[in-house]
Amino acid sequence: MRSSVSILFLSILMLTVTVSCKKTTKTETKAVDTYVADNYTKKEVDIEMRDGVKLHTTIYSPKDTSKAYPIIMQRTPYSSRPYGEGNFKTKIGPNEHLMKEGNIIVYQDVRGRWLSEGHYENMRAYIPNKTSDGQVDESSDTYDTIEWLVNNVENNNGNVGVWGISYPGFYATYATVDAHPALKAASPQASIGDFFFDDFHHNGAYLLSYFRATSLFGTPRPNGDQPIDTAWYTLPELPTEDQYQFFLDAGPLKNLDYFFEYETADTPTMRPEGVTDDFFWNELKEHPNYDAMWQSRGLIQHLKNVKSSVATMVVGGWFDAEDLYGPLETYKNIEKYNEGNYNTMVFGPWDHGAWARTKQRNTVGNYYFGDSISLFFQKEIETKFFNHFLKGEGDMDSGLPEAYVFDTGRKEWKKYDAWPPENATKQTMYLSEDQELTSERKGTTGIQFISNVRKPVPYSEDVKTVFTPRKYMTDDQRFAARRSDVLVFETDVMEEDLTLAGDILAKLKVATTGTAADWIVKVIDVHPADAETNEEMQDHLKMSNYHLMVRSEVLRGRFRNSFSDPEPFTPNKKTDVNIKLQDVFHTIKKGHKLQIQVQSTWFPLIDLNPQTYVENIFKADESDFKTQTHTVFTDSNIEFTVLK
């Protein structure tokens, strides 16, 4: 009896302790970071532009007013929230160091977005040689904003810097064109350069994987385009986690129009057939080629006269799925046309914007690159850049190199006086028979594969629906290598390191039984069998024999000779298709193998090509989609930029 009572008592005691522990766990709350509120004052103003439109601007100024500070500004279409002078961001500025050292940090809603007046234009076109105050663009808006800030914000030292990641990076680049004299430093980061080559297109192929992001840019503001402090757009919700199957079952792109018809039963809208309420979706549909609309909105071609008074530091990630073209072309064009400017580049082992995060372990998808890489960038590179030009001497000797680049194969930083490095050279390798990648051409045999539009090659083996893709940039490509519609070409095991350092040009010789085709080339680092698996790896994978995708690119074949004037293939005719792959800095180490994969579908990263020529794929019918047989000839080659 006593034993039973003791057991009962102990059971009740243990239950009480367990419940008590659970309660304690539930009541734990994360402390709110009040550093910004404790050390900064916040002011919100509406700054009038030259045409009378007012742009909503938030200014964080250090409470310590005993000295003057630079102004560091970000202009954004994504909102300068939280709104209300009593509501503070928990982090401000490019990084924690610049926040805690003391700077005047400014955020502005760009024209036509959130609480700013005016009408929004997606990638607003630059207007050179303006002749009236009615001619405005992002350059003039930035100029007018800086003019107001340096004359009205107390305790500023007269020096201004701008930064931004992704779309804000586009505005940071824009600031360097017709720049205000007070603008001393600009850091475009993952900057969009041209929406026909960044984000929504790659070399003319529509990136279906960005479908859900469309409404973010194309939904009109309500109430006659009036300023609004809450989100007025909604992202399309797919009814499944299997986006591959969803888009395959949906069929032609025109079947997706209903996602962008925004009116309700109470507020119907009359529209022409085929036109939706989303102006960006309409633009994508009506402008499938690189026509005057896209050309006018590209910013890369307007970087020929960046003022020498503005120092630029372009930042990007080697595995940025969204904006890799933009930052590379921004750096290269400023460098090419503005001799004598301070213009540098920083590229690390990051996906989109990862350099601004504070994670200790730096990975992209499954692949681990090392510890504290982003933290190093923030403290030793980004902070030094802004401090030198906004608080320091501001001369050409910043202490930073021309190119601060991370070798993603050796997993280490390198410094160079030029990019590509001066000792880089070209090396050609051929797509030979028997799955070989060889230094010499071994003939002109044709290797065929069937491209089935009902069974396209997936871009990832993951089953999930994404807002925008990221992880696939370092995905293991074994799943693709084992498909019959993916051609594989591979070197022997490397006897010494091979460092790829610069752009890559795939010079394909191809043919197709149809009149249209896409061509995708992937550069892959095949790891040895004894490679150790890192903790971030998905459970079903191992690093042993991991096929790391180092670089990949697509060319919509109709644009092989011109992005503005597409043309069909002649069936069964051998045809040149040249594909420029963006720069890499990656060492294929001794004991690894270099592999090339060639395929014609990449779904649903890009939309399906009908493989029969139509004027506009956005308007193609189900009957236009045909399975075809493609041929890649063995005089095709890949031209690498390598370090000797």
Side-chain angles (χ1 to χ4, degrees):
M1 182 68 177
R2 286 180 180 176
S3 177
S4 299
V5 171
S6 298
I7 291 171
L8 179 61
F9 175 77
L10 287 172
S11 298
I12 293 171
L13 180 62
M14 290 179 68
L15 180 62
T16 303
V17 170
T18 302
V19 170
S20 175
C21 289
K22 286 182 178 178
K23 285 182 178 178
T24 302
T25 302
K26 285 182 179 179
T27 56
E28 288 179 356
T29 57
K30 188 176 181 180
V32 177
D33 188 343
T34 62
Y35 183 89
V36 177
D38 294 341
N39 292 276
Y40 283 83
T41 59
K42 179 187 176 186
K43 184 177 182 180
E44 295 185 31
V45 297
D46 294 319
I47 301 176
E48 187 171 334
M49 301 294 103
R50 63 189 65 182
D51 65 343
V53 168
K54 295 179 180 178
L55 304 188
H56 191 77
T57 309
T58 301
I59 304 164
Y60 292 89
S61 299
K63 288 183 177 179
D64 179 3
T65 58
S66 64
K67 54 186 175 182
Y69 301 94
I71 296 170
I72 305 180
M73 178 172 67
Q74 180 183 108
R75 305 185 67 244
T76 178
Y78 300 134
S79 175
S80 57
R81 291 181 294 184
Y83 297 117
E85 294 191 359
N87 299 318
F88 287 77
K89 291 180 181 288
T90 55
K91 301 291 182 185
I92 58 173
N95 63 55
E96 186 178 56
H97 306 286
L98 291 165
M99 175 181 74
K100 292 187 173 179
E101 288 178 6
N103 288 283
I104 298 167
I105 308 297
V106 175
Y107 295 90
Q108 183 178 75
D109 295 337
V110 297
R111 181 180 292 255
R113 298 289 283 189
W114 296 88
L115 284 182
S116 285
E117 297 177 349
H119 179 67
Y120 172 69
E121 291 184 15
N122 201 9
M123 301 286 286
R124 188 183 302 276
Y126 168 65
I127 304 173
N129 305 314
K130 300 173 184 65
T131 58
S132 72
D133 287 346
Q135 292 186 312
V136 294
D137 54 22
E138 304 303 340
S139 175
S140 65
D141 281 354
T142 307
Y143 190 104
D144 293 351
T145 299
I146 293 175
E147 177 70 12
W148 190 94
L149 291 172
V150 296
N151 286 295
N152 291 278
V153 176
E154 295 180 356
N155 299 106
N156 82 81
N157 70 359
N159 293 335
V160 178
V162 295
W163 99 101
I165 298 172
S166 193
Y167 216 139
F170 166 78
Y171 295 115
T173 305
Y174 224 132
T176 68
V177 180
D178 298 334
H180 191 284
L183 182 63
K184 304 300 182 184
S187 184
Q189 304 182 2
S191 49
I192 302 168
D194 191 314
F195 259 166
F196 203 76
F197 301 98
D198 286 309
D199 292 289
F200 291 91
H201 299 91
H202 273 213
N203 291 329
Y206 169 60
L207 263 72
L208 184 57
S209 49
Y210 284 77
F211 174 79
R212 296 186 64 229
T214 306
S215 58
L216 180 61
F217 304 108
T219 307
R221 285 193 300 188
N223 302 319
D225 207 7
Q226 290 300 302
I228 186 171
D229 64 359
T230 55
W232 63 97
Y233 49 81
T234 57
L235 305 180
E237 287 296 332
L238 304 189
T240 175
E241 284 295 312
D242 190 345
Q243 64 175 8
Y244 179 100
Q245 194 64 46
F246 172 79
F247 285 119
L248 192 63
D249 292 343
L253 291 174
K254 65 180 182 179
N255 292 347
L256 300 174
D257 280 358
Y258 69 94
F259 280 102
F260 304 110
E261 295 169 355
Y262 299 138
E263 83 280 6
T264 66
D266 296 326
T267 56
T269 301
M270 296 297 292
R271 72 172 80 80
E273 182 68 25
V275 176
T276 71
D277 297 295
D278 191 292
F279 58 83
F280 186 41
W281 180 248
N282 292 337
E283 288 174 344
L284 289 167
K285 289 173 54 178
E286 298 303 323
H287 300 271
N289 307 326
Y290 194 50
D291 60 13
M293 187 201 77
W294 295 115
Q295 292 174 30
S296 69
R297 297 182 183 187
L299 191 56
I300 299 300
Q301 60 267 38
H302 297 299
L303 299 179
K304 296 181 179 180
N305 293 296
V306 173
K307 291 189 180 297
S308 60
S309 56
V310 183
T312 49
M313 183 179 75
V314 179
V315 181
W318 289 129
F319 299 102
D320 188 340
E322 299 182 39
D323 299 301
L324 185 57
Y325 168 90
L328 284 168
E329 291 301 311
T330 296
Y331 167 76
K332 290 179 180 181
N333 279 271
I334 293 176
E335 191 70 14
K336 179 179 179 179
Y337 294 109
N338 302 275
E339 186 177 355
N341 279 29
Y342 182 96
N343 178 48
T344 61
M345 61 175 277
V346 182
F347 272 75
W350 300 307
D351 60 12
H352 194 61
W355 50 91
R357 301 178 203 133
T358 55
K359 289 177 63 176
Q360 189 74 22
R361 289 177 64 85
N362 287 163
T363 61
V364 177
N366 287 307
Y367 204 84
Y368 168 69
F369 290 100
D371 287 348
S372 304
I373 298 169
S374 299
L375 298 175
F376 172 82
F377 161 76
Q378 293 165 30
K379 182 179 181 180
E380 301 298 336
I381 302 175
E382 186 176 46
T383 297
K384 286 185 177 180
F385 169 75
F386 279 114
N387 281 347
H388 179 75
F389 289 101
L390 300 182
K391 295 180 178 178
E393 295 296 324
D395 57 10
M396 299 293 285
D397 187 13
S398 68
L400 297 170
E402 172 80 11
Y404 221 139
V405 287
F406 193 92
D407 184 329
T408 54
R410 287 197 176 100
K411 301 183 181 180
E412 61 186 20
W413 285 104
K414 292 289 187 181
K415 301 177 183 179
Y416 293 106
D417 294 332
W419 184 261
E422 293 178 353
N423 59 333
T425 186
K426 299 296 183 181
Q427 180 172 329
T428 299
M429 305 188 82
Y430 288 86
L431 309 185
S432 297
E433 286 189 277
D434 300 321
Q435 298 190 342
E436 289 185 328
L437 184 63
T438 61
S439 57
E440 302 291 336
R441 192 175 78 179
K442 291 188 173 182
T444 56
T445 305
I447 305 173
Q448 293 187 334
F449 66 95
I450 296 172
S451 181
N452 186 343
V453 291
R454 294 304 303 167
K455 293 184 178 180
V457 180
Y459 79 96
S460 172
E461 61 181 344
D462 291 347
V463 176
K464 63 181 180 181
T465 297
V466 298
F467 173 61
T468 55
R470 291 192 179 188
K471 171 183 168 293
Y472 84 95
M473 292 288 282
T474 61
D475 265 355
D476 186 354
Q477 297 300 306
R478 273 176 283 201
F479 77 94
R482 293 162 181 171
R483 286 181 58 118
S484 62
D485 51 359
V486 177
L487 302 185
V488 175
F489 306 90
E490 192 174 79
T491 65
D492 293 331
V493 174
M494 290 286 177
E495 296 182 357
E496 58 183 24
D497 290 354
L498 174 67
T499 299
L500 312 179
D503 61 8
I504 299 167
L505 182 62
K507 300 178 180 178
L508 301 185
K509 314 285 187 179
V510 300
T512 174
T513 54
T515 51
D518 293 333
W519 300 95
I520 294 103
V521 173
K522 298 185 289 192
V523 179
I524 292 160
D525 179 350
V526 180
H527 287 49
D530 61 355
E532 294 185 6
T533 301
N534 53 280
E535 63 187 55
E536 291 84 3
M537 185 71 66
Q538 288 174 284
D539 291 341
H540 69 286
L541 294 173
K542 300 295 180 186
M543 191 58 72
S544 176
N545 196 38
Y546 193 90
H547 285 36
L548 171 67
M549 190 165 74
V550 174
R551 184 61 69 239
S552 55
E553 194 54 278
V554 57
L555 176 70
R556 181 137 285 173
R558 64 178 56 213
F559 297 120
R560 63 194 180 277
N561 295 319
S562 169
F563 289 110
S564 301
D565 299 307
E567 57 188 290
F569 286 91
T570 301
N572 301 311
K573 180 181 179 181
K574 187 176 181 180
T575 306
D576 290 342
V577 173
N578 295 330
I579 308 173
K580 179 188 174 186
L581 285 74
Q582 302 300 339
D583 295 32
V584 300
F585 186 37
H586 185 90
T587 297
I588 310 294
K589 296 174 70 175
K590 179 181 177 181
H592 292 224
K593 292 185 285 186
L594 173 60
Q595 182 186 98
I596 298 295
Q597 292 183 9
V598 179
Q599 60 198 61
S600 193
T601 52
W602 211 13
F603 193 74
L605 183 70
I606 61 171
D607 64 317
L608 278 179
N609 191 319
Q611 302 192 139
T612 56
Y613 188 85
V614 294
E615 291 298 321
N616 186 344
I617 293 176
F618 280 90
K619 299 181 180 181
D621 295 320
E622 184 79 43
S623 59
D624 294 320
F625 291 78
K626 304 289 186 184
T627 292
Q628 305 288 357
T629 298
H630 300 327
T631 303
V632 175
F633 294 92
T634 56
D635 50 346
S636 300
N637 66 76
I638 311 292
E639 184 182 86
F640 295 100
T641 306
V642 302
L643 289 185
K644 289 296 186 180

